[in-house]
Amino acid sequence: MATLKALVVDDASFVRDLVKRTVRQRFPVIETTDAQNGRRAQSLMSRTTFDLVLCDWEMPEMSGLELLQWMRQQPHYEKVPFIMITSRGDKDHVVEAVKEGVSEYLGKPFSPEGLSKKIIKVMGRKLQDSMSRSGKSMDGPADAFKESAALLTQKREAPPAKPESPAQPAAGDNPLMAAARSNQAPASSKPSGRAPMSVAQVRFSDSTLKSVVKDINLTEVRVIAKRDQVFPGILDQAVVDMEIGNDKTARLNGYVHQLQAVDRRQDSDFVSVTVRFVDDDPQKMEDLSRFIATFRAGNR
């Protein structure tokens, strides 16, 4: 029987489900409730007392930081653990969250193990005692379905790269553009006469894929990357970083929908990765629309 309560807050239902599933499998003594934004979470927290809050940063109506600020002003929530789960991992944002009283900071995409460690760290003895009273192990019961699915979706390391001369950055290139040049798709896969593809960085829980955008719309993006990198598994979480000008980067949350060789042969040097977006944040949709407009204008 669950003895502790956790609130999961994220505008993406896909992410909320991942967090709840991890908590349910690893810590059966924790009952989870979810909210799609900070405003809804605030309403729930006013009616029910939670022992843990796991929250995204960027959400419509009320952000995770605003929820944290409100929460620390409430006497009964002043000491309750708050884990910020977000794709915003730069130092300035981490420092800002720490100043407002965040308990822990977990970057997206995250692994179940990474999330579990953060929960154990912030809840400490309270969680351990609850698990012990229920006769449960901290590792949680084995999940046969999960183990079977892992065999189908496990990450596979790419074979060693073929020897080649390192790409030389052109004048004015930033490091990401230089990396993209060395990882660009073969000429046969790009329409003749079009401008170079836009750069995208796709982050996973334990690796980063440097790639170029082949196609994009409001629901998904297809990127092409060299095979000599570490690739994710199907359904793995992903964060797609795309430059949209004025030193601003759009960060879109999603999951891997498809992996496919660019060429119809076993030794294809390039792999196509399709990531489906899961965000429901108007600001992120606006950033995505700006990137799509720039991408299409440059490839006419």
Side-chain angles (χ1 to χ4, degrees):
M1 180 178 178
T3 59
L4 301 172
K5 294 183 178 181
L7 179 61
V8 180
V9 192
D10 199 297
D11 61 299
S13 60
F14 175 79
V15 177
R16 295 200 304 271
D17 290 344
L18 284 174
V19 174
K20 290 191 296 182
R21 184 165 63 246
T22 297
V23 173
R24 184 169 59 249
Q25 291 175 345
R26 303 296 177 95
F27 312 109
V29 297
I30 300 179
E31 175 187 329
T32 59
T33 302
D34 65 305
Q36 67 269 34
N37 57 54
R39 189 70 66 197
R40 174 60 178 162
Q42 188 181 47
S43 176
L44 291 171
M45 292 170 71
S46 298
R47 301 197 303 267
T48 304
T49 299
F50 293 94
D51 303 285
L52 171 68
V53 177
L54 305 117
C55 184
D56 185 23
W57 185 308
E58 298 173 300
M59 297 178 293
E61 297 193 40
M62 177 184 276
S63 70
L65 187 66
E66 291 171 328
L67 179 65
L68 174 60
Q69 291 168 335
W70 171 84
M71 180 175 164
R72 292 308 183 215
Q73 294 173 2
Q74 312 307 309
H76 57 295
Y77 278 121
E78 188 177 359
K79 302 295 183 182
V80 171
F82 187 108
I83 300 177
M84 190 78 82
I85 306 176
T86 175
S87 56
R88 302 178 73 164
D90 51 283
K91 182 180 178 180
D92 290 344
H93 285 105
V94 174
V95 170
E96 187 176 7
V98 170
K99 287 181 178 178
E100 297 298 339
V102 75
S103 306
E104 271 295 332
Y105 202 99
L106 180 63
K108 291 181 182 178
F110 58 86
S111 66
E113 292 74 20
L115 175 59
S116 298
K117 288 178 180 178
K118 296 290 185 182
I119 293 174
I120 291 172
K121 182 177 179 179
V122 300
M123 299 203 71
R125 176 64 65 179
K126 187 174 186 178
L127 175 60
Q128 187 175 350
D129 290 346
S130 184
M131 293 285 281
S132 297
R133 286 195 299 270
S134 299
K136 304 293 184 180
S137 166
M138 275 292 194
D139 294 330
D143 189 324
F145 174 78
K146 182 180 177 183
E147 291 175 358
S148 299
L151 296 176
L152 299 174
T153 63
Q154 63 184 337
K155 295 179 178 63
R156 300 182 184 276
E157 291 200 7
K162 297 177 181 178
E164 58 182 343
S165 301
Q168 297 299 319
D173 264 359
N174 60 42
L176 186 57
M177 286 297 292
R181 179 170 288 104
S182 66
N183 287 339
Q184 66 184 351
S188 60
S189 70
K190 292 193 287 185
S192 60
R194 290 189 175 184
M197 293 182 183
S198 301
V199 172
Q201 181 172 263
V202 188
R203 291 184 280 126
F204 306 100
S205 60
D206 54 6
S207 63
T208 298
L209 198 66
K210 293 184 176 64
S211 60
V212 289
V213 178
K214 177 66 174 176
D215 193 19
I216 187 169
N217 55 47
L218 289 174
T219 52
E220 65 183 28
V221 61
R222 183 158 64 96
V223 301
I224 295 176
K226 290 189 70 175
R227 185 185 175 188
D228 58 5
Q229 302 181 74
V230 177
F231 282 80
I234 299 296
L235 301 182
D236 276 6
Q237 297 176 74
V239 172
V240 184
D241 296 331
M242 299 177 292
E243 296 179 2
I244 56 176
N246 298 324
D247 297 324
K248 184 176 181 180
T249 300
R251 297 179 177 90
L252 282 299
N253 296 295
Y255 65 92
V256 178
H257 176 69
Q258 185 180 56
L259 293 171
Q260 184 176 3
V262 170
D263 300 311
R264 295 185 178 181
R265 64 176 195 274
Q266 188 175 7
D267 61 346
S268 175
D269 291 328
F270 298 89
V271 176
S272 170
V273 182
T274 300
V275 175
R276 286 271 175 92
F277 299 129
V278 298
D279 289 303
D280 191 24
D281 184 337
Q283 181 59 55
K284 289 191 176 184
M285 291 299 100
E286 181 180 332
D287 291 341
L288 177 57
S289 297
R290 287 176 57 192
F291 182 87
I292 292 173
T294 302
F295 172 79
R296 290 178 178 171
N299 286 274
R300 284 175 181 167

